[in-house]
Amino acid sequence: MTRLLTCATALATLGLGLTLGALPASAQEASAGDEKVNQLIIYGDDPCPVSSDHEITVCARKAESERYRIPEPLRGIDSPKSDAWTNKVQAYETVGAFGNMSCSPVGPGGASGCTQKLIDKAYAEKANGTDVKFGELIAAERQKRLSTIDATAADEQKRVEEAEKAYFEQQRRQQAQADAAADAAKTDTPLPRPK
């Protein structure tokens, strides 16, 4: 996902006319339910599209000077050519490593180091990741939507209660009219006398 995001950002900033559209993360899709999350990076004074009822639009604003530049995460790409010699030497030192915390299938506890390598790699990606935190922006937009739900629900509840009151009042009037008609029918017409 990170590579897709950085590649799309690179294409967008190279002036190819592409925008970073809806690229929701799978965790966001699982927790969001029916709503769609549209994440955009906008530059300068460009307007952010308005959210609709079933779509949250979150915009990360960057300076106008960043519009046609290579994105920050791609400016210092690690490649074998730019790797420091000390890193290469350390890699050669671990070629024959096995045993505990080595992440190898050899020796007892060799697989125990794989988790640590995975954690170290995740922290390295986080350190080199983009500075846009869409998760926080989405949470703020959701909170803004939830703040209006209470007022909307109170208005809706008031309308429903008024409609119920009018309905029950009409039912009571109709019942009173039916009772009055039944009482009038009883007193006006005498019952026939048996012979």
Side-chain angles (χ1 to χ4, degrees):
M1 180 66 192
T2 304
R3 288 184 181 171
L4 178 64
L5 181 64
T6 54
C7 290
T9 307
L11 291 175
T13 57
L14 291 176
L16 296 178
L18 300 175
T19 59
L20 183 59
L23 291 174
S26 59
Q28 292 168 351
E29 287 179 341
S31 66
D34 291 340
E35 63 190 14
K36 178 182 170 190
V37 178
N38 189 15
Q39 302 172 7
L40 299 171
I41 296 177
I42 57 175
Y43 299 92
D45 295 331
D46 293 348
C48 181
V50 180
S51 297
S52 65
D53 289 340
H54 299 289
E55 176 184 61
I56 293 178
T57 301
V58 179
C59 296
R61 188 172 299 278
K62 290 195 173 190
E64 182 65 35
S65 60
E66 294 286 319
R67 184 182 297 264
Y68 298 109
R69 292 195 65 194
I70 295 174
E72 254 182 82
L74 300 178
R75 290 181 197 160
I77 294 179
D78 295 333
S79 70
K81 291 181 181 178
S82 64
D83 200 10
W85 274 103
T86 55
N87 295 339
K88 292 178 183 178
V89 170
Q90 284 177 355
Y92 286 128
E93 287 176 355
T94 60
V95 166
F98 60 89
N100 288 341
M101 302 302 285
S102 65
C103 190
S104 71
V106 180
S112 60
C114 295
T115 304
Q116 188 59 43
K117 281 190 177 183
L118 186 66
I119 291 171
D120 292 341
K121 184 178 177 183
Y123 274 112
E125 284 182 6
K126 184 178 178 183
N128 293 329
T130 179
D131 58 346
V132 177
K133 295 179 178 45
F134 279 111
E136 293 174 7
L137 295 172
I138 291 168
E141 183 68 23
R142 279 201 183 110
Q143 190 60 35
K144 188 170 83 174
R145 282 185 172 206
L146 290 175
S147 67
T148 61
I149 286 178
D150 291 336
T152 307
D155 290 343
E156 186 70 26
Q157 182 66 25
K158 185 177 178 182
R159 283 195 299 272
V160 167
E161 287 174 359
E162 288 173 358
E164 284 179 348
K165 186 178 178 182
Y167 174 75
F168 290 133
E169 182 66 28
Q170 180 184 8
Q171 291 285 42
R172 189 186 59 76
R173 274 189 268 119
Q174 288 176 352
Q175 185 63 38
Q177 288 174 356
D179 290 344
D183 288 342
K186 285 181 185 177
T187 57
D188 289 346
T189 353
L191 292 174
R193 293 187 179 246
K195 295 183 182 179

